[in-house]
Structures are given as C-alpha cells and as structure tokens.
C-alpha cells in the first residue's frame, strides 16, 4: 500500500451519500428546451456561431472558444435555435448571462461524427486540441478548462498524474457511481491523460468511503500500471492542493500551480469525458449529476444533457418543491444556492441538492466569537480563522492579507465547526472581494494620476516651447532693429572675428610644423588681402556717400600699418642666416634617430650570439665608464647625497650586468 | 415557498457555544461533589447562590446595553463564570463576598469590555483577585477537611452564607499555606506534624484535584479544548517543582506531586487556563501560554506572599496572550516561512 499523508485540519460532516447510490445511473431524457450558457467555465465566454432559427444537430458546435482559457459549446441534442439571449444561470450572484436556447425536436439526431484516429498515433498538441474542441472543462466544480491544465509548459517535469476521485463533499455521488459503473472508461481516459502528460506515475486518489467504487477501479486498473490510492475520508481532501498533499506529501506553493511540484491533477469525470471525446468522438454534451436531498423522493444519479432545466431533472427524481428550503448546486459545503429551479444544468453541475428545512436548517443568528479555536483546528490550510474574523469585522484589510487571507480556499470547514454559528467564510469572501475591489480602485486612481501627470507635463512642455519660440522671435526682431540702426559695425566686427578664427585655426593645425618664414609670408599675404577688401569697401562707401566712410578709412589705415609691420618682419627674417632649415624640425631629427637605431639593430641581428654578447659587453663597459665619470664628477661637485647614492647604485647594477654579459659571451664561445 | 439564497457552507456542525458552556458546567460536577464531601455544603451553596447573582448581573448588564437578554443568557457563559468563581471561593463564604465577586466578574471584567468574547481577562479570576486583595481574611478562611472537625450541615451552610454573623465556623490553614510558611522542617516532618497533609497533597485537596482532572479529561475527550495549554502548564509546574525539590529539605518548595494535587492546580489547568476567550489561540501559542502560567504558579506559590497563585498567574498571562498570538502564527499551506511578524 502506498504511503499517504495527512493534511492539517479538516472535518467529518455527515456524508449522506448512501441515498443516491441505491439505483444505477438513470437517463434524464431530452427536455423540450435546452438552455446552453456561453460561459460554463473559468475564462472567456464562447462566441455563438449559430443564429436564431437555425436547425442544429446533436454535437454541432454552436459557440466557439474565444481565448486560451475558453472552450466551445455544442448542441446537446438536435432541434432549432429559438433564442440567443441573457437568461438566469446557475451562478452564486444569480446574474443573467448569454445563453443559446434550443427547442429540441426529440430526434436526438447526431451530427456526422468523426471518429478520431487512435490516440497513440496523435501528437500531444493534437490531443489537447481535440480535448479543447470537445468542450471539456473541469467537472469537479470550478470548471477550469482541462486543455489548459494539460498544456504544461515545455520542460516542466511532471512526476505524478493524479486523477481526483475523492469526492469529499457530502451528498455527492456522481464520481462514485462513475467508478462503480464505468471504471473501464475512467481507466481508458486516464491512459489518454497519461499519454499526454507522460508522468512517471499515474494515480487515482479515492477516499475510503467508496469501497464498491474502489473495488471496481482496482479491477479495471489491473495490469495498466495505474495505481489506485485509497486514503481516509476527511473533508476537504478533494481540494486539489489537499489531495496533492495527501498523495505526495508536497505542498503547492502559495499562488502557484501543481505543476511546480511536478503534479498534474484531473477530475475523474473529466477523464471519462476525455475518453468519450478521444475514443468515441463525442463532445461534452451531457454529464452525471446527483439529485439528492430530502425534498426529492428518489435521490439518484442522472445522465443529463447540458442545458436541461433543473426543474425538469428534479421532477424526474420526485421533487417536492414545497418541502424544499433552498436549492443548492454542488454540495452542502461549497455549493451555492440557485435563484430558481428553471436555471440550466451546466458542465460543472455535479449535484443538485434539495434539502428540507430540518435537513439543512436556516442558520441561527451568530453569537459572539469565544476564540475557542475550533475553526483553526478545522482549517485545512492552517490559517487562524478567528483572528481573521476579528480583522474582517474591523476592516483591517492589511492585517487580513498578512494573515494570508488569499490562501483561504473557502472550503467552509471553519464555519462548519464554529460553535457560535459565525459565517466565517462569508466574512472572508466579502473581505477578499473588498480587497480586490480596492486594488482595482487603487490601480484605476494610479492610472488616472499617471495620465494626469503626463498631460500636465505635455501642457507644460507646449507652453515652454511656445515661450521659447516667442523669445527667439523677439531676439530676431531686436537683432534686425539693431542692424537697421548701425549696419556697418557688424560687418567689421564679423571680419575681425573671421580673421581671428582663421589665425586660431592656423595655429591649431600645426604651427609647429610650419616654419616661421612661412608664417610671416602668410601674414603679409593676408594683411594685404585684408587691406584690399577694406580699400574696396572704402571706395564703395565713398562712392555711395555713406556715413561710414570715416570708420572705414580708420580701418584701412590700421590695416595698412599692420601690413607694413608684417613686411618688415618678413624682410628681417629673410636676412637672418641663422634660421634653421625646414628639414631640421624636431620631428625630422627624431625620425633620423629612430632610423639610426633601427640600422644599428639590423646590423646587430646579423651577428653571431657570441659576437652579439661581445658587442653588448662593450656597450655596457662604455656605459659603466660614463656612469663612473658622472659619479666622480658629482662627488667632486659635492652634490646631493641622494643623487650620489642613486649613481652608486646604477654603477653597481652595470657592473653586475657586465659580469652576466661576460658569462654569456663565454658560454657562447664554448658552444 | 421562495428558495433561500445564502452562501456556502450550508451544513453546520453539531457544536454550539451553548453546548460548549454546558459541557464545562457538567465537567465541574465531580469536583464540586468531592469538595462538598470533604469540606461540607459550603461550596455547593456558593455555587447555587453565585449562579443566581450571575444571571441577575448578566441580565442587568444586557438590559443596560440594550441587548436581547434571552439570546445572550442562553449561551450559559454567565453560569460558567459563576461556577468557576464560586468553586474557587472558600466554602461558607458570606453572601456579600459572593455578590461582590460575581458582580466584579460579570460587570467589570466581562460586560464592561463588551461581553462574552471581548473580555481580555478571565472574568472569574479577575473577580477572585479583586476579592483576594480587598478581603484577604475572608478569602483565606478555609474550613478544615472531613476528619479534622465537625462538618457543618446544609442548613448551617446556608446560614453561614446569609447570616454570616451567626456562623461560627472553624478555619484552618491550607497545606499550601503551611508549605509556604515552613522554615525549619523537613518535608517528612511537616507531613507528620500537620494533619492537613494527606497521601500526596492536602487531605481533601488531592481528591478534589483528581476530580477536576477527571472532568478536564472528559472535556478533552469531548474536544472542547486542546491538550496544549493545560498539559504545558502541568508540565512546567512539575518540572520546576522537581528541579527545586532537593529531596525534601526544609527549604524545599514541595514535591511535584504535591504541587499537582494541591490548591487549584487541576482546576486551573482544565477550567481556567483553557478559557478560550482570554488565552492564546494558536497551538504553539497555547503551549507557551500554558507553560508560562505553570512557571508563574510555582514562583508565586513558593516565593510570593499569597497562598495560591493560579489566579495571578492566569491574569498576568492574559496580558501576554495577544502578544503570544502575534508571534506564533502557524505556517500556512504552501508558504515556506511562518508569517513575518511586522
């Protein structure tokens, strides 16, 4: 027997399962009208592809999936579409939602069915598409599309595939009866899932309160490698996270997915639906629903078409409406009340519970919390419900989050255990909704704040630009006005600046390489040029009778004086014979030195090693001689002690080098 | 009939606050019987008279607070307070002592804080301490146990309660008192010289403790509370007593068994420490809460100036309970660490 683990808390409510398993699964038949809601799953609603008046066949797609987390809808039976409109559906809020209403013709005519090829030959993605196109969404309760759960991210290592046959909610026997009657199909469906997921092990988890189902499953699983895991009955062991802990001992990280601990879970009902889709080519158009409670005379399980009105189904089981105090879809722990018995059965309707007042009495008014801690003992996720209740009452939402409110799975164990009848789960649900609402509000206000700030910035920027333009225009206008006032001053100034710039450029571009002579010649040329332009301008001005004549005259005179100075300098320079020729510029000298050194090295390279050593030795001896001379001189001159020390050190170093060179030369000769 | 529209869960467990309280009341019965057997009808009269006063006080407070009287009286919490306080009072206590004690418990310690569930201190112990500090003489006047003087009859007990002036009862130091005041005697000699000492603890006291232990065990079986706080308290008390027992010298504080079966040890462990309202709530928190109460009981019994210490120890730890809760949050499913205390 496989080792199973226990999870914290949990409760043992009366099971009340025996009532509905006394008879085999009955066929509920075809109701006169089928109302197929477009959203029966978590995720985006499907999009209708039929119009009013269309004749549809059983299994025909009537609404297509929109988005990844979505599945298509199929006509559960043949008939004609009579309405596509908002109808009351089974939802905790009792709101209206778009539905396709089909008036059945009773022929139950199938669409030309395509039997898919052997699934072993299909690729993983093709199989997942097949499952998605069959409209299969988690049949346990939440209605999470099976295809999404099966699309495990590439590279995720899945150790364990768990088929959830726990069915821990009281009253519900839909999975139990499937195990008893269709164990083979469960195993076949499981094999398909195993083929897709390729886990190391495949397990079916069942509570030990279903001995007949367990026996049937074990018989069917013989030799398939699928292991049936039996564990003690406790609510809520059927919760996905709880089941994973029971079977593997691992906990799914908060906010994470089972695949993070190497587990994929699928509902047992989904396994059968997958078998039907992949092997028989049936889309999900019907399911097993338990109809039970003391308000029905014959509690039992039905094979019922999706979209069947609840009242139709209840009446098949002998519904006594006057005894019924509330109609619950799902179980007494997590099911929700429906507003009206006309709402349709959907893919997640595992149970219709019609209790009497004495069976599930109206809750009495809540008493004070005495902090007994029974709720904390019952909590399967180890929260402190009594503390959270306190914070929920005083609306300390931050404290609630600190106490991990969002890890609450709303199983209802705390409320069940509470001796003071405090509706704890209801408080948490409300608080969660409030926090989510506040987060939305916060995001919204954050959004508008950012938008407002961006707009403000834009406006400011526009204003700045406008201001800058205006300033520029103003400046331009002022400049123009000034030009009109004293036009000639500017051209002169400009000319001076041009000249200065030219000079600077000249200096920068290599004054060092240009000889003094060239520089002087250049100066003469430019000054002469300047004088020419100035004279031309002066002539022009004189001809026009401009009032600038005097100013220009002054400039011409100045330029002429400069020219004279320049010419004189040039003459003087040319007469001086000591000026070094251009070839002797320092760069050239350096070039020559480099060449000399290279030549020396080249000649050296031609020598034999011993000869090289000899040359080296001679050189060193010369250097030593020089150093010793310098040292002697320094001593005579009485130079600084440090200098003498340094010179002594260099002499010592050279002596060492010489002895090394001698050794080398000797070695070379010996060789 | 219109269908009910309420959210899940629709099923509710069999437990109710009323049942919890009734179980606690029932569990005190063996202890009351033993106390009555050894000390006469005094305790019984205390309890009966105290219950009436408690119901009156509770009704008065509820009326003043404009709350539905019947709905709240039904939870039996006032009766529990009355039972616990009156068991702790010396038998043959005068009516005014009981009245003041109950009124303090119900009005001051409970209703002024907002009623059941909102009181930070154990009401019975708060009332007890108020009385102990205000009327030390009456509060330490314990009747001698059976075999050490004549036990008053029922009629005399009633007379003692309502006409205290005419009641001429004998009182005797309790074994805990003798132990505390012992300066020069070896434990063995102490046992021989004082007839109040029985086999392990005091005559009568040891059986009363065993009776309360039995009641507590039954409550535990009924899952009214968890074992954590009471066991931690008994364990830490025994441990300290064992550490300082030193083989029974004159400086000894008494053997572990003596401490377990003396005074209000078992009564405190199973009926006071387990008070859910004023104790820590997480299981680890309850362990700490209980253990520290045990330590305080030993320290106050041996070194303090009051004969017994349960009430003080419990009240001091009531202060600490929210703090303990804050630091002992359990690790939630799927979380690696325990919640950070911020």
């Amino acid at each position: 027997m496989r080792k199973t683990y226990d999870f914290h808390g949990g409760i043992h409510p009366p099971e009340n399962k025996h009532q509905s398993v006394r008879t085999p699964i009955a066929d509920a038949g075809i109701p006169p009208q089928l109302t197929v809601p477009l959203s029966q799953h978590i995720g985006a609603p499907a999009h209708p592809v039929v119009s009013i008046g269309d004749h549809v066949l059983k299994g025909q797609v009537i609404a297509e999936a929109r988005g990844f987390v979505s599945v298509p809808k199929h006509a559960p039976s043949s008939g004609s579409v009579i309405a596509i409109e908002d109808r009351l559906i089974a939802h905790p809020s009792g709101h209206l939602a778009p539905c396709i209403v089909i008036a059945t013709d009773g022929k139950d005519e199938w669409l030309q069915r395509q039997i898919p090829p052997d699934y072993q030959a299909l690729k993983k993605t093709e199989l997942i598409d097949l499952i998605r196109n069959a409209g299969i969404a988690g049949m346990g309760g939440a209605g999470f599309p099976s295809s999404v759960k099966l699309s495990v991210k590439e590279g995720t290592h899945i150790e364990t595939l768990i088929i959830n046959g726990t069915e821990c909610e009281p009253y519900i026997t839909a999975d139990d009866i499937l195990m008893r009657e269709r164990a083979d199909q469960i195993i076949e469906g499981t094999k398909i899932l195993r083929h897709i997921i390729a886990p190391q092990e495949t397990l079916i988890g069942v509570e030990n309160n279903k001995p007949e189902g367990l026996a049937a499953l074990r018989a069917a699983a013989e030799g398939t490698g699928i292991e049936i895991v039996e564990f003690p009955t406790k609510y809520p062991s059927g919760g996905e996270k709880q089941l994973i802990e029971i079977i593997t001992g691992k906990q799914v990280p908060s906010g994470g997915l089972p695949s993070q601990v190497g587990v994929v879970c699928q509902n047992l009902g989904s396994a059968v639906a997958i078998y039907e889709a992949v092997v028989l080519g049936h889309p999900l158009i019907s399911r097993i629903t338990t109809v039970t409670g003391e308000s029905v005379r014959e509690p039992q399980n039905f094979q019922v078409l999706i979209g069947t009105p609840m009242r139709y189904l209840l009446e098949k089981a002998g519904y006594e409406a006057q005894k019924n105090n509330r109609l619950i879809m799902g179980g007494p722990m997590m099911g929700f009340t429906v507003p009206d018995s006309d709402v349709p059965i959907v893919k997640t309707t595992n149970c219709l519970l019609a209790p009497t007042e004495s069976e599930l009495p109206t809750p009495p008014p809540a008493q004070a919390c005495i902090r007994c801690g029974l709720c904390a003992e019952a909590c399967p996720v180890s929260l402190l419900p009594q503390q959270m209740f306190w914070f929920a009452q005083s609306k300390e939402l931050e404290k609630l989050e600190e106490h991990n409110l969002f890890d609450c799975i709303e199983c209802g164990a705390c409320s069940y255990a509470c001796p003071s009848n405090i509706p704890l789960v209801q408080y948490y649900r409300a608080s969660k909704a409030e926090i989510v609402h506040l987060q939305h509000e916060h995001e919204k206000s954050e959004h508008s704040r950012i938008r407002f700030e961006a707009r403000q910035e834009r406006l400011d920027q526009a204003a700045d630009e406008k201001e800058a333009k205006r300033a520029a225009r103003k400046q331009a206008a002022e400049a123009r006005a000034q030009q009109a006032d004293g036009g000639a001053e500017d051209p002169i100034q400009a000319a001076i600046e041009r000249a200065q710039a030219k000079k600077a450029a000249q200096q920068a571009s290599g004054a060092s390489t240009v000889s003094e002579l060239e520089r002087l010649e250049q100066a003469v040329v430019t000054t002469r040029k300047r004088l020419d332009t100035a004279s031309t301008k002066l002539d022009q001005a004189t001809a026009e009778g401009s009032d600038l004549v005097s100013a220009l005259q002054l400039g011409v005179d100045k330029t002429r004086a400069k020219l004279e100075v320049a010419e004189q300098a040039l003459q003087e320079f040319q007469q001086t014979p000591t000026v070094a020729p251009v070839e002797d510029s320092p760069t050239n000298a350096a070039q020559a030195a480099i060449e000399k050194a290279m030549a020396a090295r080249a000649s050296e390279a031609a020598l034999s090693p011993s000869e090289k050593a000899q040359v080296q030795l001679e050189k060193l001896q010369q250097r030593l001689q020089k150093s010793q001379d310098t040292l002697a001189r320094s001593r005579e001159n009485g130079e600084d002690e440090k200098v003498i020390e340094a010179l002594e050190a260099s002499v010592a170093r050279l002596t060492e080098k010489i002895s090394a060179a001698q050794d080398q030369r000797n070695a070379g000769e010996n060789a | 009939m219109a269908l009910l529209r309420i959210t899940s869960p629709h099923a509710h467990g069999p437990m109710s606050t009323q049942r919890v309280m009734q179980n606690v009341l029932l569990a005190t019965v063996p202890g009351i019987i033993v106390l009555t057997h050894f000390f006469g009808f005094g305790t019984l009269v205390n309890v009966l008279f105290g219950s009436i006063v408690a119901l009156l006080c509770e009704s008065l407070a509820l009326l003043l607070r404009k709350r539905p009287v019947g709905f709240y009286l039904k939870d039996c919490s006032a009766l529990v307070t009355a039972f616990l306080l009156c068991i702790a009072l010396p038998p043959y206590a005068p009516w005014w002592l009981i009245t003041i004690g109950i009124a303090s418990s119900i009005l001051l310690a409970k209703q002024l804080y907002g009623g059941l569930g909102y009181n930070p201190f154990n009401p019975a112990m708060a009332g007890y301490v108020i009385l102990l500090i205000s009327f030390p003489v009456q509060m330490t006047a314990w009747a001698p146990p059976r075999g050490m003087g004549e036990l008053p009859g029922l009629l005399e007990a009633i007379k003692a309660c309502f006409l205290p002036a005419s009641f001429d009862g004998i009182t005797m130091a309790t074994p805990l008192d003798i132990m505390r005041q012992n300066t020069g005697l070896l434990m063995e000699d102490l046992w021989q010289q004082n007839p109040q000492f029985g086999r392990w603890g005091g005559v009568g006291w040891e059986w009363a403790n065993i009776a309360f232990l039995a009641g507590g065990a039954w409550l535990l079986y009924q899952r009214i509370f968890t074992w954590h706080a009471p066991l931690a308290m008994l364990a830490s008390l025994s441990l300290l007593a064992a550490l300082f027992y030193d083989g029974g010298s004159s400086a000894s504080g008494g053997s572990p068994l003596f401490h377990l079966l003396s005074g209000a040890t078992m009564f405190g462990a199973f009926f006071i420490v387990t008070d859910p309202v004023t104790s820590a709530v997480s299981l680890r928190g309850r362990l700490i809460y209980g253990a520290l109460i045990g330590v305080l009981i030993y320290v106050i019994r041996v070194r303090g100036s009051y004969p017994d210490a349960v009430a003080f120890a419990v009240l001091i730890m009531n202060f600490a309970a929210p703090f303990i809760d804050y630091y002992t949050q359990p690790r939630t499913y799927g979380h690696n660490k325990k919640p950070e205390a911020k």
Side-chain angles (χ1 to χ4, degrees):
Chain A
M1 263 274 289
R2 190 187 180 84
K3 178 182 170 17
T4 56
Y5 302 79
D6 192 17
F7 63 92
H8 179 266
I11 51 171
H12 296 94
E15 289 172 14
N16 287 311
K17 287 183 187 269
H18 59 277
Q19 300 94 319
S20 52
V21 286
R22 284 180 291 220
T23 51
I25 301 172
D27 188 6
I30 306 165
Q33 266 190 21
L34 291 164
T35 310
V36 183
L38 292 175
S39 184
Q40 301 173 26
H41 50 262
I42 286 180
H47 183 74
V49 290
V50 289
S51 1
I52 296 168
D54 282 3
H55 184 75
V56 291
L57 295 173
K58 185 174 187 168
Q60 184 181 336
V61 173
I62 51 174
E64 279 177 346
R66 280 287 156 96
F68 178 61
V69 186
S70 182
V71 289
K73 301 284 169 291
H74 304 80
S77 185
S78 60
S80 50
V81 176
I82 54 164
I84 301 176
E85 60 185 21
D86 285 357
R87 291 276 178 104
L88 201 59
I89 61 156
H91 189 276
S93 70
H95 71 135
L96 302 175
C99 297
I100 297 175
V101 186
I102 297 167
T104 53
D105 57 14
K107 295 180 197 152
D108 211 23
E109 215 176 320
W110 268 99
L111 184 76
Q112 186 67 41
R113 257 179 296 168
Q114 289 182 329
I115 305 292
D118 181 20
Y119 71 89
Q120 305 271 10
L122 288 175
K123 271 193 283 196
K124 183 182 159 184
T125 47
E126 290 172 329
L127 270 172
I128 291 177
D129 279 347
L130 195 66
I131 289 168
R132 177 178 147 101
N133 292 336
I136 298 170
M139 300 175 70
F144 200 75
S146 298
S147 54
V148 178
K149 277 181 146 186
L150 291 173
S151 307
V152 179
K153 230 192 322 183
E154 219 39 70
T156 315
H157 178 67
I158 298 299
E159 270 175 47
T160 315
L161 168 66
I162 301 175
I163 305 300
N164 188 347
T166 316
E167 203 166 52
C168 60
E169 273 256 10
Y171 286 100
I172 309 177
T173 55
D175 287 349
D176 190 3
I177 204 98
L178 268 180
M179 286 183 238
R180 294 179 193 211
E181 295 189 20
R182 300 181 190 171
D184 291 339
Q185 295 184 7
I186 296 169
I187 297 297
E188 282 307 308
T190 308
K191 280 187 189 164
I192 297 167
L193 287 165
R194 181 169 69 177
H195 178 69
I196 296 172
I197 301 282
Q200 286 177 347
E201 51 177 2
T202 305
L203 312 166
I204 302 180
V206 185
E207 277 185 338
N208 64 4
N209 62 354
K210 305 176 192 51
E212 295 92 341
L214 274 164
L217 266 187
R218 287 216 171 94
E222 196 90 18
T224 58
I226 296 167
E227 196 182 333
I228 314 299
V229 184
E230 180 183 344
F231 47 86
T233 303
K234 178 163 93 169
Y235 177 85
S237 49
E240 190 174 71
K241 290 179 167 186
Q242 279 63 45
L243 181 62
I244 289 171
E245 191 174 8
I246 289 170
I247 290 184
T248 67
K250 291 182 230 167
Q251 293 192 341
V252 181
S254 173
L257 291 171
S259 60
Q260 285 174 266
V261 290
V263 177
V264 168
C265 260
Q266 283 283 339
N267 182 265
L268 190 119
S270 302
V272 173
I274 285 167
Y275 160 78
E276 288 183 345
V278 173
V279 177
L280 307 178
H282 286 188
L284 177 54
I285 49 171
S286 73
R287 68 156 296 141
I288 309 286
T289 299
T290 307
V291 182
T292 186
E294 284 175 14
S295 297
V296 291
R297 278 189 302 272
E298 293 141 26
Q300 58 184 307
N301 282 284
F302 289 98
Q303 179 85 43
V304 57
L305 295 174
I306 305 296
T308 303
M310 286 183 180
R311 182 183 294 279
Y312 174 87
L313 190 62
L314 285 165
E315 273 161 10
K316 289 262 171 186
Y319 184 42
E320 292 166 290
Q322 70 289 347
K323 277 164 78 181
N324 190 11
N325 73 335
R326 54 183 137 178
L327 184 57
I328 300 165
M329 178 175 135
M333 294 306 297
M334 290 185 79
F336 55 86
T337 54
V338 293
D340 193 286
S341 56
D342 286 332
V343 302
I345 300 286
V346 291
K347 291 174 184 177
T348 54
T349 313
N350 49 6
C351 179
L352 272 189
L353 176 55
T356 57
E357 176 63 28
S358 62
E359 195 177 8
L360 290 181
T362 308
Q367 287 171 286
C369 169
I370 55 167
R371 293 163 39 94
C372 60
L374 288 173
C375 48
E377 281 173 54
C379 181
V381 287
S382 303
L383 297 169
L384 288 177
Q386 73 278 54
Q387 305 288 84
M388 285 163 51
F389 165 63
W390 203 265
F391 298 136
Q393 270 190 316
S394 55
K395 303 245 175 255
E396 289 177 81
L397 300 179
E398 275 182 21
K399 282 266 179 61
L400 271 173
E401 284 189 80
E402 263 176 45
H403 278 71
N404 300 323
L405 171 68
F406 282 91
D407 286 298
C408 170
I409 57 169
E410 298 178 21
C411 67
C414 52
S415 304
Y416 179 86
C418 180
S420 288
N421 276 304
I422 300 169
L424 294 163
V425 177
Q426 287 88 327
Y427 273 100
Y428 308 147
R429 248 185 233 129
S431 298
K432 277 183 186 176
E434 191 162 343
I435 291 173
V436 170
H437 176 71
L438 283 178
Q439 272 168 353
H440 279 310
E441 290 281 294
H442 180 73
E443 271 166 31
K444 242 162 79 183
S445 69
E446 193 64 9
H447 244 89
S448 28
R449 188 183 63 79
I450 290 168
R451 265 204 336 250
F452 174 76
E453 281 175 1
R455 179 171 183 268
Q456 202 63 34
E457 205 173 307
R458 250 180 1 252
L459 290 179
D460 287 351
Q461 213 176 351
D464 284 352
E465 274 169 18
K466 221 168 162 183
E467 186 58 37
K469 269 185 195 160
R470 189 184 296 142
R473 272 204 307 276
K474 194 177 167 194
Q475 216 171 5
E478 273 171 7
R480 269 202 302 277
Q482 220 170 17
Q483 214 165 13
D485 285 349
E489 268 171 63
D490 262 355
I492 293 168
Q493 187 63 33
I496 292 168
E497 275 167 11
R498 250 197 330 271
Q500 274 172 351
K502 224 178 191 174
K503 206 184 201 170
Q506 254 172 21
Q507 276 167 358
S509 70
S512 56
T513 57
V514 177
S515 73
E516 186 68 10
L517 179 71
E518 273 179 345
R519 198 182 63 79
L520 290 168
E521 277 173 355
Q522 191 77 42
V524 172
V525 172
T526 46
T527 322
R528 189 171 290 148
K529 213 191 260 171
R530 222 181 284 160
L531 178 63
D532 285 349
T533 24
S535 312
T536 331
K537 269 191 186 162
L538 177 62
D539 290 348
Q540 258 179 18
T542 328
E544 282 168 14
S546 164
D547 50 353
L548 291 171
V549 173
S550 59
L552 285 170
Q553 185 63 56
L554 196 70
V556 169
D557 291 347
K558 266 190 193 164
T559 319
R560 189 167 289 146
K562 267 190 191 165
L563 179 59
E564 277 162 18
V565 172
E567 275 171 347
Q568 209 178 343
L570 181 59
Q571 267 174 1
E572 275 172 21
F573 189 77
Q574 276 166 344
Q575 280 158 9
T576 324
T578 53
V579 171
V582 175
E583 290 76 33
D584 266 10
S585 65
T587 32
N588 286 354
Q591 188 62 35
I594 291 168
E595 273 165 16
K596 233 164 45 193
M598 273 163 69
R601 179 156 308 163
S603 63
E604 216 172 83
L607 300 174
S608 77
S610 60
E611 279 166 335
K612 250 193 227 170
Q614 180 63 36
V615 173
Q616 182 76 16
L617 184 59
E618 278 161 18
K619 269 189 202 159
L620 283 168
Q621 275 162 348
Q622 276 168 21
R623 272 171 71 189
L624 177 61
Q625 192 59 44
K626 250 190 211 166
S627 298
Q628 278 168 341
D629 290 350
T630 326
L631 179 58
R633 248 196 332 271
S634 302
R635 278 191 180 136
E636 275 165 38
N637 296 351
E639 273 190 30
D640 200 66
E641 225 175 290
K642 266 188 194 164
V643 176
I644 291 168
E645 265 172 36
L647 285 169
E648 276 170 356
S650 75
V651 168
R653 228 175 15 249
L654 279 167
T655 324
E656 247 173 63
K657 270 191 183 169
I658 286 166
S659 68
Q662 272 168 346
D663 289 349
Q664 208 178 341
R665 189 197 55 186
N666 295 345
E669 275 168 3
N670 291 345
Chain B
M1 191 172 80
L3 292 171
L4 262 180
R5 296 282 285 133
I6 43 180
T7 53
S8 67
H10 304 282
H12 191 269
M15 194 54 87
S16 71
T17 298
Q18 188 184 10
R19 231 188 89 187
V20 170
M21 298 294 174
Q22 285 169 349
N23 278 348
V24 172
L25 292 177
L26 212 59
T28 60
V29 169
I32 293 174
I33 291 173
V34 172
L35 281 175
T36 306
H37 171 76
F38 280 101
F39 298 97
F41 289 99
T43 306
L44 201 61
V45 173
N46 283 357
V47 167
L48 293 178
F49 177 63
S51 298
I52 295 164
V53 178
L55 289 177
L56 288 175
C57 286
E58 181 98 335
S59 309
L60 176 72
L62 289 171
L63 280 175
L64 286 174
R65 293 179 60 212
K66 300 193 173 61
R67 299 293 150 105
V69 176
F71 178 73
Y72 284 99
L73 280 188
K74 218 173 53 191
D75 65 27
C76 296
S77 62
L79 280 181
V80 169
T81 302
F83 267 55
L84 298 186
L85 176 62
C86 292
I87 287 169
L89 290 179
Y92 315 107
W95 63 271
W96 53 265
L97 193 76
I98 296 172
T99 307
I100 292 173
I102 295 282
S104 307
S105 293
I106 301 277
L107 298 178
L108 284 181
K110 184 177 165 193
Q111 291 291 348
L112 273 191
Y113 282 103
L116 178 66
Y118 296 91
N119 49 307
F121 303 106
N122 184 310
M125 289 302 104
Y128 182 85
V129 164
I130 289 171
L131 290 180
L132 186 60
I133 293 170
S134 315
F135 311 103
V137 178
Q138 286 83 353
M139 285 301 285
T140 48
W142 271 88
R146 180 178 288 272
M148 260 158 277
E150 211 177 310
L151 278 182
L154 179 61
L155 217 62
E156 271 180 283
I158 295 170
K159 218 169 79 179
C161 182
F162 297 106
L163 298 165
S166 68
F167 179 69
D168 185 20
I170 344 155
T171 62
M172 218 179 219
T174 63
L176 272 175
D177 244 344
I178 301 168
M179 178 70 73
R180 189 170 55 83
Q181 282 156 2
N182 175 38
T183 47
L185 290 174
L186 290 177
M187 287 296 114
E188 220 175 307
D189 299 331
L190 200 67
W191 243 256
Q192 277 175 359
Q193 289 180 17
N194 293 286
Q196 288 100 319
F197 286 104
R199 192 191 299 260
W200 309 288
V203 174
W205 292 98
E206 49 199 25
W207 285 109
N209 269 288
I210 289 167
F212 284 117
L213 170 64
W218 179 70
L219 287 179
L220 205 53
Y221 173 73
Q222 294 282 309
R223 301 173 67 99
I224 301 297
F225 47 73
T226 61
W227 56 267
H228 300 76
L231 249 65
M233 178 201 132
L234 296 177
S236 70
L237 177 64
S238 313
L239 188 74
L240 278 185
L243 273 179
F244 294 98
Y245 181 51
D246 66 19
S249 77
S250 56
S252 167
S255 71
L257 208 54
F258 170 75
H259 277 285
L260 286 180
L261 296 179
S262 283
T265 304
M266 292 298 169
F267 173 70
F270 291 98
F271 293 88
I272 304 297
V273 172
T274 51
D275 170 24
V277 178
T278 56
S279 75
V281 283
S282 68
L283 297 184
R284 280 190 313 139
R286 283 177 182 169
L287 282 176
I288 298 170
Y289 175 80
L292 290 177
I293 289 178
V295 169
L296 284 174
I297 290 176
Y298 184 79
V299 171
I300 300 174
R301 269 185 187 175
V302 176
R303 297 274 163 233
S305 51
Y306 285 96
D308 202 355
V310 173
F312 288 109
V314 167
L315 287 184
I316 290 169
M317 287 312 293
N318 284 167
F319 272 113
F323 183 73
I324 294 171
D325 278 339
Y326 194 75
Y327 287 100
T328 53
Q329 279 183 47
R331 184 185 66 83
T332 308
Y333 179 101
H335 286 256
N336 288 326
K337 285 190 301 184
K338 297 189 174 73
E340 281 283 307
K342 278 173 213 147

